[in-house]
Amino acid sequence: MTVDLDKFKKPGKDYYLALGLEGSANKLGVGVIKHNLGQLSSENRAEVLSNVRDTYITPPGEGFLPRDTARHHRNWVVRIIKKSLVDAGIKGTDLDCICFTQGPGMGAPLQSVVIAARTLSQLWKLPLIGVNHCVGHIEMGREITGANNPVVLYVSGGNTQIIAYSRQRYRIFGETLDIAIGNCLDRFARVLKISNDPAPGYNIEQMAKKGKHLVTLPYTVKGMDLSMAGILSYIEVLAKDLFSSNPKKNKNLIDEESGELITPEDLCYSLQESLFSMLVEITERAMAHVQSNQVLIVGGVGSNERLQEMMELMVNERKNGSIHATDERFCIDNGIMIAHAGLLSYRMGQINDLKDTVCTQRFRTDEVFVSWRDD
Amino acid sequence: MSLDYKLKISIPFENNNQAEIAGNSLRPDPILKADEMTVDFSTDNEKLICYFQGVSDRVIRVAVSNVLDNIKTIIECIEQFEG
């Protein structure tokens, strides 16, 4: 990187502070990040001053609806911002800018948070920076893991994309053609009435560890893209059969080798294995295409250790391969990643006027001009 | 369709600056179904004036409830973080 990140520094101040507000789905996150002057490098890492999150958790069997999620965010946003500033030990007026998620995500929750961002920006006389949620994940993952130019697998409740950087854009090499992988897992959890606390995907992962029998599921890789809606329908039928009082003599519900009954744990295990194999396949192909040997996994599903393990098996078979993943603090939606990515664009001169702070549900990763990189 | 239903609500703040901040925070978001509904925000000294015009009382009700929800967030922010 040779871009100058300090063209807009404040005289007499050798660091930047940014507040990040994230509320594109059921997590409300607020964080404060600090950058020192100069290029970010292994000797000059971004410093996380605070990272607070509150998750809207629905009862088992239910998903989160936009209206209710927005209400949750509105109820909590000011308290979470306050806690974040206290944790960081700073005042609002110490900040350089306020960053917020501009999309993609659910409309009502996004809007409920940007209202707070606009108000704070005027109270503290600070510029607003709109951030693409996916770019937030990518930049935070790069910063935390030190992966310089990885192939990025972005897997969450709303997105499934395989991304590589080229000429100042994060380009999407492959993605889901229908539902996101996290959505597939969450909706399967609803059928089995698995708890949403702390997250349905986490609970599936724990159940899958006890699974023994692999049930054959559809495998739907389409070139560089994936399709998961059909797999979900298929496994939903199997799961419903498990609970039916009059079980049909369905051979899928008995393991062919051992003759044992298939359990919900087996289904969780089988679903994870099938879906993650598909991800590993397209990731490997993307690595071959861009001749990269680094993989970075970001997004909520990226905190799944089985996915990390399967990816590692593939990466280790490639020459000089390395895999980078973060833990739940940075994988799952958070405010700090919005602060980090927003601060990078602020340092390059991006500022959103109030009239340009409208959130949008659709905002593709490759729409963002990555001004802070020029490799 | 003519916007025959009208409603004006006036929300008092502590001073004109607060009312301006509230108006500026509310104004950018576009109204869904712009052909059925318009909302204008203005200030009158310390008061924020929200003027709703719509094709039915139903669309006005939805818009008012949404604006009030947003104003609650704004007031909470001002209360906690002003100065």
Side-chain angles (χ1 to χ4, degrees), chain A residues 357-373:
Chain A
T357 55
V358 178
C359 293
T360 160
Q361 305 204 53
R362 304 193 187 285
F363 186 2
R364 282 178 64 84
T365 316
D366 50 13
E367 284 174 44
V368 178
F369 178 68
V370 184
S371 55
W372 55 91
R373 285 181 72 174

PDB file of all heavy atoms in Angstrom, chain A residues 357-373:
ATOM      1  N   THR A 357     -27.226  10.014   3.722  1.00  0.00           N
ATOM      2  CA  THR A 357     -27.072   8.992   4.759  1.00  0.00           C
ATOM      3  C   THR A 357     -28.253   8.028   4.775  1.00  0.00           C
ATOM      4  O   THR A 357     -28.483   7.338   5.754  1.00  0.00           O
ATOM      5  CB  THR A 357     -26.947   9.639   6.159  1.00  0.00           C
ATOM      6  OG1 THR A 357     -28.077  10.490   6.365  1.00  0.00           O
ATOM      7  CG2 THR A 357     -25.667  10.436   6.298  1.00  0.00           C
ATOM      8  N   VAL A 358     -29.014   8.008   3.681  1.00  0.00           N
ATOM      9  CA  VAL A 358     -30.142   7.078   3.625  1.00  0.00           C
ATOM     10  C   VAL A 358     -29.607   5.652   3.504  1.00  0.00           C
ATOM     11  O   VAL A 358     -28.713   5.382   2.704  1.00  0.00           O
ATOM     12  CB  VAL A 358     -31.050   7.420   2.426  1.00  0.00           C
ATOM     13  CG1 VAL A 358     -32.205   6.434   2.329  1.00  0.00           C
ATOM     14  CG2 VAL A 358     -31.557   8.840   2.543  1.00  0.00           C
ATOM     15  N   CYS A 359     -30.140   4.751   4.310  1.00  0.00           N
ATOM     16  CA  CYS A 359     -29.684   3.361   4.269  1.00  0.00           C
ATOM     17  C   CYS A 359     -30.364   2.626   3.136  1.00  0.00           C
ATOM     18  O   CYS A 359     -31.459   2.977   2.697  1.00  0.00           O
ATOM     19  CB  CYS A 359     -29.998   2.664   5.585  1.00  0.00           C
ATOM     20  SG  CYS A 359     -29.048   3.344   6.939  1.00  0.00           S
ATOM     21  N   THR A 360     -29.709   1.591   2.660  1.00  0.00           N
ATOM     22  CA  THR A 360     -30.264   0.820   1.563  1.00  0.00           C
ATOM     23  C   THR A 360     -30.141  -0.667   1.844  1.00  0.00           C
ATOM     24  O   THR A 360     -29.124  -1.121   2.360  1.00  0.00           O
ATOM     25  CB  THR A 360     -29.575   1.201   0.230  1.00  0.00           C
ATOM     26  OG1 THR A 360     -29.788   0.153  -0.699  1.00  0.00           O
ATOM     27  CG2 THR A 360     -28.080   1.387   0.412  1.00  0.00           C
ATOM     28  N   GLN A 361     -31.211  -1.398   1.547  1.00  0.00           N
ATOM     29  CA  GLN A 361     -31.204  -2.839   1.840  1.00  0.00           C
ATOM     30  C   GLN A 361     -30.253  -3.578   0.904  1.00  0.00           C
ATOM     31  O   GLN A 361     -29.707  -4.603   1.255  1.00  0.00           O
ATOM     32  CB  GLN A 361     -32.608  -3.419   1.697  1.00  0.00           C
ATOM     33  CG  GLN A 361     -33.625  -2.696   2.541  1.00  0.00           C
ATOM     34  CD  GLN A 361     -34.815  -3.556   2.876  1.00  0.00           C
ATOM     35  OE1 GLN A 361     -34.677  -4.652   3.379  1.00  0.00           O
ATOM     36  NE2 GLN A 361     -35.998  -3.068   2.576  1.00  0.00           N
ATOM     37  N   ARG A 362     -30.119  -3.065  -0.312  1.00  0.00           N
ATOM     38  CA  ARG A 362     -29.222  -3.722  -1.270  1.00  0.00           C
ATOM     39  C   ARG A 362     -28.025  -2.812  -1.527  1.00  0.00           C
ATOM     40  O   ARG A 362     -28.201  -1.668  -1.928  1.00  0.00           O
ATOM     41  CB  ARG A 362     -29.949  -3.989  -2.594  1.00  0.00           C
ATOM     42  CG  ARG A 362     -31.185  -4.786  -2.379  1.00  0.00           C
ATOM     43  CD  ARG A 362     -31.783  -5.342  -3.643  1.00  0.00           C
ATOM     44  NE  ARG A 362     -33.058  -5.950  -3.311  1.00  0.00           N
ATOM     45  CZ  ARG A 362     -33.177  -7.123  -2.680  1.00  0.00           C
ATOM     46  NH1 ARG A 362     -32.100  -7.821  -2.372  1.00  0.00           N
ATOM     47  NH2 ARG A 362     -34.363  -7.605  -2.375  1.00  0.00           N
ATOM     48  N   PHE A 363     -26.843  -3.330  -1.267  1.00  0.00           N
ATOM     49  CA  PHE A 363     -25.623  -2.532  -1.406  1.00  0.00           C
ATOM     50  C   PHE A 363     -24.519  -3.556  -1.622  1.00  0.00           C
ATOM     51  O   PHE A 363     -24.015  -4.140  -0.681  1.00  0.00           O
ATOM     52  CB  PHE A 363     -25.426  -1.720  -0.121  1.00  0.00           C
ATOM     53  CG  PHE A 363     -24.280  -0.728  -0.149  1.00  0.00           C
ATOM     54  CD1 PHE A 363     -23.492  -0.541  -1.274  1.00  0.00           C
ATOM     55  CD2 PHE A 363     -23.995   0.019   0.985  1.00  0.00           C
ATOM     56  CE1 PHE A 363     -22.449   0.361  -1.272  1.00  0.00           C
ATOM     57  CE2 PHE A 363     -22.952   0.928   0.997  1.00  0.00           C
ATOM     58  CZ  PHE A 363     -22.177   1.091  -0.143  1.00  0.00           C
ATOM     59  N   ARG A 364     -24.181  -3.803  -2.878  1.00  0.00           N
ATOM     60  CA  ARG A 364     -23.266  -4.904  -3.150  1.00  0.00           C
ATOM     61  C   ARG A 364     -21.820  -4.536  -2.799  1.00  0.00           C
ATOM     62  O   ARG A 364     -21.410  -3.385  -2.898  1.00  0.00           O
ATOM     63  CB  ARG A 364     -23.388  -5.374  -4.600  1.00  0.00           C
ATOM     64  CG  ARG A 364     -24.628  -6.244  -4.768  1.00  0.00           C
ATOM     65  CD  ARG A 364     -24.838  -6.696  -6.169  1.00  0.00           C
ATOM     66  NE  ARG A 364     -23.779  -7.573  -6.666  1.00  0.00           N
ATOM     67  CZ  ARG A 364     -23.719  -8.882  -6.460  1.00  0.00           C
ATOM     68  NH1 ARG A 364     -24.615  -9.494  -5.726  1.00  0.00           N
ATOM     69  NH2 ARG A 364     -22.750  -9.594  -6.995  1.00  0.00           N
ATOM     70  N   THR A 365     -21.089  -5.575  -2.411  1.00  0.00           N
ATOM     71  CA  THR A 365     -19.711  -5.399  -1.976  1.00  0.00           C
ATOM     72  C   THR A 365     -18.875  -4.689  -3.036  1.00  0.00           C
ATOM     73  O   THR A 365     -18.036  -3.849  -2.719  1.00  0.00           O
ATOM     74  CB  THR A 365     -19.099  -6.784  -1.692  1.00  0.00           C
ATOM     75  OG1 THR A 365     -20.056  -7.558  -0.967  1.00  0.00           O
ATOM     76  CG2 THR A 365     -17.827  -6.670  -0.899  1.00  0.00           C
ATOM     77  N   ASP A 366     -19.107  -5.014  -4.310  1.00  0.00           N
ATOM     78  CA  ASP A 366     -18.244  -4.464  -5.356  1.00  0.00           C
ATOM     79  C   ASP A 366     -18.660  -3.060  -5.792  1.00  0.00           C
ATOM     80  O   ASP A 366     -18.056  -2.475  -6.682  1.00  0.00           O
ATOM     81  CB  ASP A 366     -18.169  -5.414  -6.567  1.00  0.00           C
ATOM     82  CG  ASP A 366     -19.530  -5.858  -7.048  1.00  0.00           C
ATOM     83  OD1 ASP A 366     -20.529  -5.255  -6.620  1.00  0.00           O
ATOM     84  OD2 ASP A 366     -19.601  -6.825  -7.834  1.00  0.00           O
ATOM     85  N   GLU A 367     -19.697  -2.490  -5.152  1.00  0.00           N
ATOM     86  CA  GLU A 367     -20.043  -1.094  -5.444  1.00  0.00           C
ATOM     87  C   GLU A 367     -19.082  -0.122  -4.755  1.00  0.00           C
ATOM     88  O   GLU A 367     -19.027   1.051  -5.104  1.00  0.00           O
ATOM     89  CB  GLU A 367     -21.462  -0.779  -4.962  1.00  0.00           C
ATOM     90  CG  GLU A 367     -22.559  -1.346  -5.846  1.00  0.00           C
ATOM     91  CD  GLU A 367     -23.940  -1.118  -5.230  1.00  0.00           C
ATOM     92  OE1 GLU A 367     -24.199  -0.012  -4.737  1.00  0.00           O
ATOM     93  OE2 GLU A 367     -24.737  -2.064  -5.242  1.00  0.00           O
ATOM     94  N   VAL A 368     -18.377  -0.613  -3.740  1.00  0.00           N
ATOM     95  CA  VAL A 368     -17.533   0.278  -2.940  1.00  0.00           C
ATOM     96  C   VAL A 368     -16.167   0.447  -3.599  1.00  0.00           C
ATOM     97  O   VAL A 368     -15.490  -0.540  -3.911  1.00  0.00           O
ATOM     98  CB  VAL A 368     -17.341  -0.298  -1.520  1.00  0.00           C
ATOM     99  CG1 VAL A 368     -16.416   0.595  -0.710  1.00  0.00           C
ATOM    100  CG2 VAL A 368     -18.683  -0.465  -0.840  1.00  0.00           C
ATOM    101  N   PHE A 369     -15.783   1.688  -3.812  1.00  0.00           N
ATOM    102  CA  PHE A 369     -14.456   1.979  -4.319  1.00  0.00           C
ATOM    103  C   PHE A 369     -13.484   1.952  -3.145  1.00  0.00           C
ATOM    104  O   PHE A 369     -13.625   2.719  -2.193  1.00  0.00           O
ATOM    105  CB  PHE A 369     -14.436   3.359  -5.002  1.00  0.00           C
ATOM    106  CG  PHE A 369     -13.089   3.741  -5.505  1.00  0.00           C
ATOM    107  CD1 PHE A 369     -12.521   3.053  -6.569  1.00  0.00           C
ATOM    108  CD2 PHE A 369     -12.364   4.776  -4.925  1.00  0.00           C
ATOM    109  CE1 PHE A 369     -11.271   3.400  -7.049  1.00  0.00           C
ATOM    110  CE2 PHE A 369     -11.108   5.116  -5.393  1.00  0.00           C
ATOM    111  CZ  PHE A 369     -10.564   4.424  -6.459  1.00  0.00           C
ATOM    112  N   VAL A 370     -12.505   1.030  -3.199  1.00  0.00           N
ATOM    113  CA  VAL A 370     -11.603   0.827  -2.060  1.00  0.00           C
ATOM    114  C   VAL A 370     -10.434   1.800  -2.194  1.00  0.00           C
ATOM    115  O   VAL A 370      -9.338   1.428  -2.629  1.00  0.00           O
ATOM    116  CB  VAL A 370     -11.129  -0.645  -2.013  1.00  0.00           C
ATOM    117  CG1 VAL A 370     -10.276  -0.894  -0.776  1.00  0.00           C
ATOM    118  CG2 VAL A 370     -12.321  -1.580  -1.998  1.00  0.00           C
ATOM    119  N   SER A 371     -10.682   3.049  -1.805  1.00  0.00           N
ATOM    120  CA  SER A 371      -9.670   4.087  -2.041  1.00  0.00           C
ATOM    121  C   SER A 371      -8.427   3.890  -1.180  1.00  0.00           C
ATOM    122  O   SER A 371      -7.352   4.361  -1.535  1.00  0.00           O
ATOM    123  CB  SER A 371     -10.284   5.456  -1.746  1.00  0.00           C
ATOM    124  OG  SER A 371     -10.817   5.459  -0.435  1.00  0.00           O
ATOM    125  N   TRP A 372      -8.577   3.178  -0.036  1.00  0.00           N
ATOM    126  CA  TRP A 372      -7.451   3.063   0.900  1.00  0.00           C
ATOM    127  C   TRP A 372      -6.479   1.947   0.541  1.00  0.00           C
ATOM    128  O   TRP A 372      -5.523   1.709   1.255  1.00  0.00           O
ATOM    129  CB  TRP A 372      -7.978   2.873   2.324  1.00  0.00           C
ATOM    130  CG  TRP A 372      -8.921   1.710   2.456  1.00  0.00           C
ATOM    131  CD1 TRP A 372      -8.599   0.431   2.776  1.00  0.00           C
ATOM    132  CD2 TRP A 372     -10.334   1.728   2.269  1.00  0.00           C
ATOM    133  NE1 TRP A 372      -9.721  -0.355   2.785  1.00  0.00           N
ATOM    134  CE2 TRP A 372     -10.800   0.408   2.479  1.00  0.00           C
ATOM    135  CE3 TRP A 372     -11.262   2.719   1.931  1.00  0.00           C
ATOM    136  CZ2 TRP A 372     -12.155   0.067   2.372  1.00  0.00           C
ATOM    137  CZ3 TRP A 372     -12.597   2.364   1.821  1.00  0.00           C
ATOM    138  CH2 TRP A 372     -13.024   1.057   2.042  1.00  0.00           C
ATOM    139  N   ARG A 373      -6.708   1.256  -0.571  1.00  0.00           N
ATOM    140  CA  ARG A 373      -5.737   0.269  -1.042  1.00  0.00           C
ATOM    141  C   ARG A 373      -5.415   0.606  -2.485  1.00  0.00           C
ATOM    142  O   ARG A 373      -6.299   1.013  -3.242  1.00  0.00           O
ATOM    143  CB  ARG A 373      -6.328  -1.154  -1.030  1.00  0.00           C
ATOM    144  CG  ARG A 373      -6.452  -1.765   0.335  1.00  0.00           C
ATOM    145  CD  ARG A 373      -7.013  -3.175   0.268  1.00  0.00           C
ATOM    146  NE  ARG A 373      -6.057  -4.153  -0.272  1.00  0.00           N
ATOM    147  CZ  ARG A 373      -6.280  -5.466  -0.309  1.00  0.00           C
ATOM    148  NH1 ARG A 373      -7.422  -5.961   0.149  1.00  0.00           N
ATOM    149  NH2 ARG A 373      -5.386  -6.294  -0.798  1.00  0.00           N
TER     150      ARG A 373
END
